[in-house]
Amino acid sequence: MDTRYQIAIPPELVNPRGEVWYGDTQERGVRGLMAVFCAEFSPVRFLSLEAQFGRSSTHGDYQLHSWIHAPDAATLIKYSNGATWSHPDHEDDAAAEGAQAGRSDWGAANLYLRVLGSPRPPGDDEGLSHSLDIALGVERYRASTRITDYRRTLSTGRFYPQQPVGPVPGVDSPYEAVWQGAHLGLREEVRGPYALIFDGTVFWSPAMEYQGKGFWNTAVGPGMLRAQSPNYMDSAHGTAIHFQLGLAWEWSILRLEAGYQRFYFYSRTGTEEYYNYDGSVDNTQLNFATADLGGIYTGVSIRF
């Protein structure tokens, strides 16, 4: 999952006048296997209700890039001492990395309405039959991580205050991101010979809500952030898309499945709030937040 925020530098500090921004990009790459449980109930022939829930333990890497973006200016006046320096369009001024571990969970509830179906003709065991459902539902994805083993890898001191490169002791920083909202979808199933089934689904949400909250434990104190958690929070509206393609084989009430699925969440512009030690709140612009997860899946189900 990635987030990026930016702050505009006042025009009077830019010479020649132009648009200059500084900000951070945070990359939270995690890996893990998710176990998903699913139940579907059909009260009538053309209508069914589905509930899904999955959970996984995760681990991965954390990357932080603190950058300057100056597309319209060749010279920038520093805040600290008023010195001027030339800068390219986009460049990291500081960077850091760390290890992270945590947990992810995902849940969804869907209502399916069958709008099209072509059953196999009686006695035709080699033909195809298919069905098409439209879906309306909700989903929620939550990713909780904790950053440790933190180390600075770059600190030029040209804009951000210069700090020693190397391990930073004591970092133990949690962050929780939640995406939730309603979605629309389609589900297609094609039954072929030899009890093989091809199926695919696609869901789209134009009104996803994103909220992230975290706590930097080494940035607490006078002139910095508050000691209560969270001491910073992200929020934005966004969109999401989820697709799945699978192949299954049925024998009696047993169904073996395998396939590929992917989830992608993307926020629009939002806000990031920092809760300071003195009780004040600083607001910055959140450019975007993204979450991209997916992979190969296998499963076994029993259908009555």
mmCIF file with all atom_site columns, all heavy atoms in Angstrom, residues 84-99:
data_model
loop_
_atom_site.group_PDB
_atom_site.id
_atom_site.type_symbol
_atom_site.label_atom_id
_atom_site.label_alt_id
_atom_site.label_comp_id
_atom_site.label_asym_id
_atom_site.label_entity_id
_atom_site.label_seq_id
_atom_site.pdbx_PDB_ins_code
_atom_site.Cartn_x
_atom_site.Cartn_y
_atom_site.Cartn_z
_atom_site.occupancy
_atom_site.B_iso_or_equiv
_atom_site.pdbx_formal_charge
_atom_site.auth_seq_id
_atom_site.auth_comp_id
_atom_site.auth_asym_id
_atom_site.auth_atom_id
_atom_site.pdbx_PDB_model_num
ATOM 1   N N   . THR A 1 84 ? 20.463 29.723 -1.561  1.00 0.00 ? 84 THR A N   1
ATOM 2   C CA  . THR A 1 84 ? 19.788 29.275 -2.778  1.00 0.00 ? 84 THR A CA  1
ATOM 3   C C   . THR A 1 84 ? 20.553 28.115 -3.389  1.00 0.00 ? 84 THR A C   1
ATOM 4   O O   . THR A 1 84 ? 21.770 27.982 -3.228  1.00 0.00 ? 84 THR A O   1
ATOM 5   C CB  . THR A 1 84 ? 19.700 30.421 -3.802  1.00 0.00 ? 84 THR A CB  1
ATOM 6   O OG1 . THR A 1 84 ? 21.016 30.813 -4.175  1.00 0.00 ? 84 THR A OG1 1
ATOM 7   C CG2 . THR A 1 84 ? 18.952 31.603 -3.218  1.00 0.00 ? 84 THR A CG2 1
ATOM 8   N N   . TRP A 1 85 ? 19.810 27.257 -4.090  1.00 0.00 ? 85 TRP A N   1
ATOM 9   C CA  . TRP A 1 85 ? 20.439 26.131 -4.758  1.00 0.00 ? 85 TRP A CA  1
ATOM 10  C C   . TRP A 1 85 ? 19.575 25.698 -5.924  1.00 0.00 ? 85 TRP A C   1
ATOM 11  O O   . TRP A 1 85 ? 18.367 25.878 -5.925  1.00 0.00 ? 85 TRP A O   1
ATOM 12  C CB  . TRP A 1 85 ? 20.664 24.974 -3.781  1.00 0.00 ? 85 TRP A CB  1
ATOM 13  C CG  . TRP A 1 85 ? 19.428 24.522 -3.048  1.00 0.00 ? 85 TRP A CG  1
ATOM 14  C CD1 . TRP A 1 85 ? 18.845 25.128 -1.982  1.00 0.00 ? 85 TRP A CD1 1
ATOM 15  C CD2 . TRP A 1 85 ? 18.629 23.366 -3.322  1.00 0.00 ? 85 TRP A CD2 1
ATOM 16  N NE1 . TRP A 1 85 ? 17.736 24.443 -1.560  1.00 0.00 ? 85 TRP A NE1 1
ATOM 17  C CE2 . TRP A 1 85 ? 17.580 23.354 -2.365  1.00 0.00 ? 85 TRP A CE2 1
ATOM 18  C CE3 . TRP A 1 85 ? 18.689 22.348 -4.271  1.00 0.00 ? 85 TRP A CE3 1
ATOM 19  C CZ2 . TRP A 1 85 ? 16.617 22.365 -2.339  1.00 0.00 ? 85 TRP A CZ2 1
ATOM 20  C CZ3 . TRP A 1 85 ? 17.724 21.350 -4.231  1.00 0.00 ? 85 TRP A CZ3 1
ATOM 21  C CH2 . TRP A 1 85 ? 16.704 21.367 -3.270  1.00 0.00 ? 85 TRP A CH2 1
ATOM 22  N N   . SER A 1 86 ? 20.192 25.138 -6.953  1.00 0.00 ? 86 SER A N   1
ATOM 23  C CA  . SER A 1 86 ? 19.471 24.655 -8.127  1.00 0.00 ? 86 SER A CA  1
ATOM 24  C C   . SER A 1 86 ? 18.958 23.250 -7.864  1.00 0.00 ? 86 SER A C   1
ATOM 25  O O   . SER A 1 86 ? 19.591 22.450 -7.165  1.00 0.00 ? 86 SER A O   1
ATOM 26  C CB  . SER A 1 86 ? 20.392 24.656 -9.357  1.00 0.00 ? 86 SER A CB  1
ATOM 27  O OG  . SER A 1 86 ? 20.809 25.965 -9.648  1.00 0.00 ? 86 SER A OG  1
ATOM 28  N N   . HIS A 1 87 ? 17.810 22.957 -8.475  1.00 0.00 ? 87 HIS A N   1
ATOM 29  C CA  . HIS A 1 87 ? 17.186 21.659 -8.215  1.00 0.00 ? 87 HIS A CA  1
ATOM 30  C C   . HIS A 1 87 ? 16.497 21.173 -9.477  1.00 0.00 ? 87 HIS A C   1
ATOM 31  O O   . HIS A 1 87 ? 15.878 21.957 -10.189 1.00 0.00 ? 87 HIS A O   1
ATOM 32  C CB  . HIS A 1 87 ? 16.162 21.796 -7.082  1.00 0.00 ? 87 HIS A CB  1
ATOM 33  C CG  . HIS A 1 87 ? 15.857 20.503 -6.397  1.00 0.00 ? 87 HIS A CG  1
ATOM 34  N ND1 . HIS A 1 87 ? 15.058 19.541 -6.918  1.00 0.00 ? 87 HIS A ND1 1
ATOM 35  C CD2 . HIS A 1 87 ? 16.285 20.020 -5.212  1.00 0.00 ? 87 HIS A CD2 1
ATOM 36  C CE1 . HIS A 1 87 ? 14.981 18.516 -6.085  1.00 0.00 ? 87 HIS A CE1 1
ATOM 37  N NE2 . HIS A 1 87 ? 15.714 18.785 -5.044  1.00 0.00 ? 87 HIS A NE2 1
ATOM 38  N N   . PRO A 1 88 ? 16.563 19.879 -9.776  1.00 0.00 ? 88 PRO A N   1
ATOM 39  C CA  . PRO A 1 88 ? 15.831 19.343 -10.936 1.00 0.00 ? 88 PRO A CA  1
ATOM 40  C C   . PRO A 1 88 ? 14.342 19.249 -10.645 1.00 0.00 ? 88 PRO A C   1
ATOM 41  O O   . PRO A 1 88 ? 13.876 19.648 -9.575  1.00 0.00 ? 88 PRO A O   1
ATOM 42  C CB  . PRO A 1 88 ? 16.455 17.960 -11.129 1.00 0.00 ? 88 PRO A CB  1
ATOM 43  C CG  . PRO A 1 88 ? 16.912 17.576 -9.762  1.00 0.00 ? 88 PRO A CG  1
ATOM 44  C CD  . PRO A 1 88 ? 17.357 18.853 -9.095  1.00 0.00 ? 88 PRO A CD  1
ATOM 45  N N   . ASP A 1 89 ? 13.601 18.712 -11.596 1.00 0.00 ? 89 ASP A N   1
ATOM 46  C CA  . ASP A 1 89 ? 12.146 18.642 -11.458 1.00 0.00 ? 89 ASP A CA  1
ATOM 47  C C   . ASP A 1 89 ? 11.706 17.877 -10.218 1.00 0.00 ? 89 ASP A C   1
ATOM 48  O O   . ASP A 1 89 ? 10.820 18.298 -9.497  1.00 0.00 ? 89 ASP A O   1
ATOM 49  C CB  . ASP A 1 89 ? 11.540 17.977 -12.696 1.00 0.00 ? 89 ASP A CB  1
ATOM 50  C CG  . ASP A 1 89 ? 11.511 18.928 -13.876 1.00 0.00 ? 89 ASP A CG  1
ATOM 51  O OD1 . ASP A 1 89 ? 11.797 20.112 -13.676 1.00 0.00 ? 89 ASP A OD1 1
ATOM 52  O OD2 . ASP A 1 89 ? 11.225 18.468 -14.991 1.00 0.00 ? 89 ASP A OD2 1
ATOM 53  N N   . HIS A 1 90 ? 12.279 16.707 -9.986  1.00 0.00 ? 90 HIS A N   1
ATOM 54  C CA  . HIS A 1 90 ? 11.849 15.855 -8.878  1.00 0.00 ? 90 HIS A CA  1
ATOM 55  C C   . HIS A 1 90 ? 13.054 15.078 -8.374  1.00 0.00 ? 90 HIS A C   1
ATOM 56  O O   . HIS A 1 90 ? 13.744 14.418 -9.144  1.00 0.00 ? 90 HIS A O   1
ATOM 57  C CB  . HIS A 1 90 ? 10.752 14.888 -9.350  1.00 0.00 ? 90 HIS A CB  1
ATOM 58  C CG  . HIS A 1 90 ? 10.089 14.154 -8.224  1.00 0.00 ? 90 HIS A CG  1
ATOM 59  N ND1 . HIS A 1 90 ? 8.891  14.553 -7.683  1.00 0.00 ? 90 HIS A ND1 1
ATOM 60  C CD2 . HIS A 1 90 ? 10.472 13.059 -7.533  1.00 0.00 ? 90 HIS A CD2 1
ATOM 61  C CE1 . HIS A 1 90 ? 8.550  13.721 -6.712  1.00 0.00 ? 90 HIS A CE1 1
ATOM 62  N NE2 . HIS A 1 90 ? 9.502  12.810 -6.604  1.00 0.00 ? 90 HIS A NE2 1
ATOM 63  N N   . GLU A 1 91 ? 13.281 15.161 -7.057  1.00 0.00 ? 91 GLU A N   1
ATOM 64  C CA  . GLU A 1 91 ? 14.460 14.490 -6.505  1.00 0.00 ? 91 GLU A CA  1
ATOM 65  C C   . GLU A 1 91 ? 14.252 14.190 -5.034  1.00 0.00 ? 91 GLU A C   1
ATOM 66  O O   . GLU A 1 91 ? 13.674 15.003 -4.295  1.00 0.00 ? 91 GLU A O   1
ATOM 67  C CB  . GLU A 1 91 ? 15.696 15.368 -6.691  1.00 0.00 ? 91 GLU A CB  1
ATOM 68  C CG  . GLU A 1 91 ? 16.992 14.712 -6.219  1.00 0.00 ? 91 GLU A CG  1
ATOM 69  C CD  . GLU A 1 91 ? 18.197 15.591 -6.494  1.00 0.00 ? 91 GLU A CD  1
ATOM 70  O OE1 . GLU A 1 91 ? 18.574 15.716 -7.664  1.00 0.00 ? 91 GLU A OE1 1
ATOM 71  O OE2 . GLU A 1 91 ? 18.733 16.172 -5.541  1.00 0.00 ? 91 GLU A OE2 1
ATOM 72  N N   . ASP A 1 92 ? 14.707 13.011 -4.603  1.00 0.00 ? 92 ASP A N   1
ATOM 73  C CA  . ASP A 1 92 ? 14.675 12.685 -3.185  1.00 0.00 ? 92 ASP A CA  1
ATOM 74  C C   . ASP A 1 92 ? 15.714 13.513 -2.440  1.00 0.00 ? 92 ASP A C   1
ATOM 75  O O   . ASP A 1 92 ? 16.871 13.607 -2.855  1.00 0.00 ? 92 ASP A O   1
ATOM 76  C CB  . ASP A 1 92 ? 14.976 11.196 -2.969  1.00 0.00 ? 92 ASP A CB  1
ATOM 77  C CG  . ASP A 1 92 ? 13.771 10.316 -3.247  1.00 0.00 ? 92 ASP A CG  1
ATOM 78  O OD1 . ASP A 1 92 ? 12.678 10.872 -3.481  1.00 0.00 ? 92 ASP A OD1 1
ATOM 79  O OD2 . ASP A 1 92 ? 13.920 9.079  -3.239  1.00 0.00 ? 92 ASP A OD2 1
ATOM 80  N N   . ASP A 1 93 ? 15.297 14.096 -1.325  1.00 0.00 ? 93 ASP A N   1
ATOM 81  C CA  . ASP A 1 93 ? 16.214 14.827 -0.467  1.00 0.00 ? 93 ASP A CA  1
ATOM 82  C C   . ASP A 1 93 ? 16.582 14.010 0.771   1.00 0.00 ? 93 ASP A C   1
ATOM 83  O O   . ASP A 1 93 ? 17.604 14.241 1.392   1.00 0.00 ? 93 ASP A O   1
ATOM 84  C CB  . ASP A 1 93 ? 15.589 16.156 -0.049  1.00 0.00 ? 93 ASP A CB  1
ATOM 85  C CG  . ASP A 1 93 ? 16.593 17.097 0.572   1.00 0.00 ? 93 ASP A CG  1
ATOM 86  O OD1 . ASP A 1 93 ? 17.589 17.423 -0.097  1.00 0.00 ? 93 ASP A OD1 1
ATOM 87  O OD2 . ASP A 1 93 ? 16.398 17.504 1.734   1.00 0.00 ? 93 ASP A OD2 1
ATOM 88  N N   . ALA A 1 94 ? 15.699 13.052 1.120   1.00 0.00 ? 94 ALA A N   1
ATOM 89  C CA  . ALA A 1 94 ? 15.942 12.152 2.237   1.00 0.00 ? 94 ALA A CA  1
ATOM 90  C C   . ALA A 1 94 ? 15.175 10.864 1.983   1.00 0.00 ? 94 ALA A C   1
ATOM 91  O O   . ALA A 1 94 ? 14.183 10.850 1.244   1.00 0.00 ? 94 ALA A O   1
ATOM 92  C CB  . ALA A 1 94 ? 15.524 12.784 3.564   1.00 0.00 ? 94 ALA A CB  1
ATOM 93  N N   . ALA A 1 95 ? 15.640 9.776  2.575   1.00 0.00 ? 95 ALA A N   1
ATOM 94  C CA  . ALA A 1 95 ? 14.979 8.492  2.399   1.00 0.00 ? 95 ALA A CA  1
ATOM 95  C C   . ALA A 1 95 ? 15.276 7.599  3.600   1.00 0.00 ? 95 ALA A C   1
ATOM 96  O O   . ALA A 1 95 ? 16.284 7.790  4.297   1.00 0.00 ? 95 ALA A O   1
ATOM 97  C CB  . ALA A 1 95 ? 15.419 7.809  1.102   1.00 0.00 ? 95 ALA A CB  1
ATOM 98  N N   . ALA A 1 96 ? 14.393 6.639  3.827   1.00 0.00 ? 96 ALA A N   1
ATOM 99  C CA  . ALA A 1 96 ? 14.570 5.693  4.926   1.00 0.00 ? 96 ALA A CA  1
ATOM 100 C C   . ALA A 1 96 ? 13.852 4.403  4.582   1.00 0.00 ? 96 ALA A C   1
ATOM 101 O O   . ALA A 1 96 ? 13.040 4.346  3.646   1.00 0.00 ? 96 ALA A O   1
ATOM 102 C CB  . ALA A 1 96 ? 14.039 6.282  6.233   1.00 0.00 ? 96 ALA A CB  1
ATOM 103 N N   . GLU A 1 97 ? 14.148 3.349  5.327   1.00 0.00 ? 97 GLU A N   1
ATOM 104 C CA  . GLU A 1 97 ? 13.521 2.055  5.112   1.00 0.00 ? 97 GLU A CA  1
ATOM 105 C C   . GLU A 1 97 ? 13.400 1.324  6.440   1.00 0.00 ? 97 GLU A C   1
ATOM 106 O O   . GLU A 1 97 ? 14.052 1.671  7.428   1.00 0.00 ? 97 GLU A O   1
ATOM 107 C CB  . GLU A 1 97 ? 14.329 1.218  4.115   1.00 0.00 ? 97 GLU A CB  1
ATOM 108 C CG  . GLU A 1 97 ? 15.727 0.872  4.604   1.00 0.00 ? 97 GLU A CG  1
ATOM 109 C CD  . GLU A 1 97 ? 16.548 0.147  3.556   1.00 0.00 ? 97 GLU A CD  1
ATOM 110 O OE1 . GLU A 1 97 ? 16.152 0.189  2.367   1.00 0.00 ? 97 GLU A OE1 1
ATOM 111 O OE2 . GLU A 1 97 ? 17.569 -0.447 3.922   1.00 0.00 ? 97 GLU A OE2 1
ATOM 112 N N   . GLY A 1 98 ? 12.545 0.311  6.461   1.00 0.00 ? 98 GLY A N   1
ATOM 113 C CA  . GLY A 1 98 ? 12.370 -0.479 7.669   1.00 0.00 ? 98 GLY A CA  1
ATOM 114 C C   . GLY A 1 98 ? 11.675 -1.785 7.359   1.00 0.00 ? 98 GLY A C   1
ATOM 115 O O   . GLY A 1 98 ? 11.240 -2.039 6.226   1.00 0.00 ? 98 GLY A O   1
ATOM 116 N N   . ALA A 1 99 ? 11.568 -2.624 8.362   1.00 0.00 ? 99 ALA A N   1
ATOM 117 C CA  . ALA A 1 99 ? 10.820 -3.875 8.252   1.00 0.00 ? 99 ALA A CA  1
ATOM 118 C C   . ALA A 1 99 ? 9.445  -3.672 8.861   1.00 0.00 ? 99 ALA A C   1
ATOM 119 O O   . ALA A 1 99 ? 9.264  -2.829 9.749   1.00 0.00 ? 99 ALA A O   1
ATOM 120 C CB  . ALA A 1 99 ? 11.559 -4.995 8.963   1.00 0.00 ? 99 ALA A CB  1
#
